Amino acid sequence: MKFWLSLIALSICFSTSLSAQEFNPKKIYQKTSTAVVLVAAFERGDKGASTGTGSILNKDGLILTNAHVIFNSEKNKIYGEIKVFLKPARVTGNLKKDTARKFKARLIRYSNELDLALLQIKNPPPINRLPFLKLSNLKEISIGDPVVAIGHPEQGGLWTLTTGTISSLIENHGDIPGKDVFQTETSINKGNSGGPLIDRYGNIVGINSMIARKGSGNIAITDINFSIKSTVAVKWMNSV
């Protein structure tokens, strides 16, 4: 346990001045998308599956995602099977081809309150190292900063890119102590859950988790999306 924690500590990003780097969604995507995975959790023999997104955090295949992706709320337990899919060399739009790099994963730990979970790829591919993303310390991120999200939105494509900005900062979201989030206009939907919200440097600033789509009186809400701050994830991972 201490081994992967030390790797996480080493990967925490200390960014330089924001003016030093241009915001280029295409370059960010090219740099980071290979470290984003598709997560599927299910019960053996059942037809349905819970799907979401995850981020690889180290070269050995440690993955950060949302707890609700791997937790079966109907049965109040973790799904019996978890699989992750690595990004193909080129996304073709063909589901069978794009999900060919499939691996089993095991759950390390999770928190339903914070909606965070850590997975480990079983028998990762025999390559020198897996691509991975760094977690930002958020010292130079604020309202108005541009960000991108990568994920697998329901009825959308795999490894989808959306762009937007940090809209607001909220502490103790849902009255849960320590669950600090960003509100963002960056479009996320079911299937994006657990995926990264990424800054201009290609580092994770948030874990996409929640959306608001209806307000009082059933009035439609748009562009109200929430991402758990990367510092919340770091604190949680180092809390054991």
Side-chain angles (χ1 to χ4, degrees):
M1 188 74 73
K2 289 183 179 179
F3 174 72
W4 59 258
L5 284 174
S6 65
L7 288 174
I8 294 302
L10 286 172
S11 72
I12 297 174
C13 165
F14 294 89
S15 300
T16 56
S17 171
L18 287 179
S19 61
Q21 187 152 338
E22 167 193 15
F23 180 69
N24 187 317
K26 183 176 182 178
K27 288 183 179 179
I28 295 169
Y29 183 84
Q30 291 171 338
K31 176 183 177 181
T32 63
S33 60
T34 55
V36 178
V37 301
L38 170 65
V39 179
F42 55 94
E43 295 295 345
R44 190 182 297 273
D46 288 357
K47 291 183 178 180
S50 170
T51 59
T53 307
S55 301
I56 303 174
L57 296 185
N58 67 22
K59 62 184 179 63
D60 298 313
L62 185 71
I63 293 171
L64 178 64
T65 187
N66 281 153
H68 77 255
V69 173
I70 52 87
F71 190 83
N72 187 335
S73 57
E74 291 183 1
K75 297 184 178 180
N76 197 34
K77 67 175 187 176
I78 298 297
Y79 283 99
E81 301 283 335
I82 303 173
K83 291 187 178 179
V84 298
F85 302 80
L86 303 185
K87 186 175 181 287
R90 183 175 70 89
V91 176
T92 65
N94 180 293
L95 181 64
K96 186 175 181 179
K97 289 181 180 178
D98 292 345
T99 57
R101 301 179 69 199
K102 177 172 62 177
F103 298 88
K104 290 183 178 181
R106 66 182 178 89
L107 176 66
I108 294 177
R109 64 183 297 219
Y110 71 99
S111 168
N112 281 331
E113 274 202 328
L114 294 178
D115 197 18
L116 295 172
L118 278 175
L119 311 176
Q120 176 69 51
I121 297 178
K122 294 181 178 179
N123 303 314
I127 55 178
N128 290 334
R129 57 187 292 165
L130 285 169
F132 62 92
L133 296 177
K134 296 178 180 180
L135 290 156
S136 172
N137 62 8
L138 302 183
K139 288 186 176 179
E140 296 184 15
I141 196 82
S142 59
I143 294 171
D145 283 335
V147 285
V148 306
I150 301 174
H152 318 286
E154 186 178 39
Q155 299 187 35
L158 298 178
W159 284 276
T160 294
L161 172 72
T162 54
T163 63
T165 59
I166 298 293
S167 304
S168 184
L169 316 175
I170 304 171
E171 291 186 353
N172 304 322
H173 188 265
D175 293 325
I176 298 172
K179 190 176 183 179
D180 301 339
V181 304
F182 288 120
Q183 178 190 328
T184 176
E185 64 171 356
T186 311
S187 179
I188 59 176
N189 289 283
K190 186 177 178 181
N192 281 100
S193 292
L197 190 70
I198 303 170
D199 67 9
R200 69 180 69 195
Y201 302 102
N203 301 311
I204 301 172
V205 296
I207 300 88
N208 299 321
S209 180
M210 301 155 282
I211 58 178
R213 289 295 178 264
K214 284 188 178 181
S216 58
N218 258 354
I219 296 175
I221 296 174
T222 60
D223 296 330
I224 306 296
N225 311 293
F226 301 101
S227 296
I228 302 161
K229 289 185 177 182
S230 56
T231 49
V232 174
V234 171
K235 183 177 179 179
W236 172 69
M237 287 187 290
N238 287 302
S239 65
V240 294

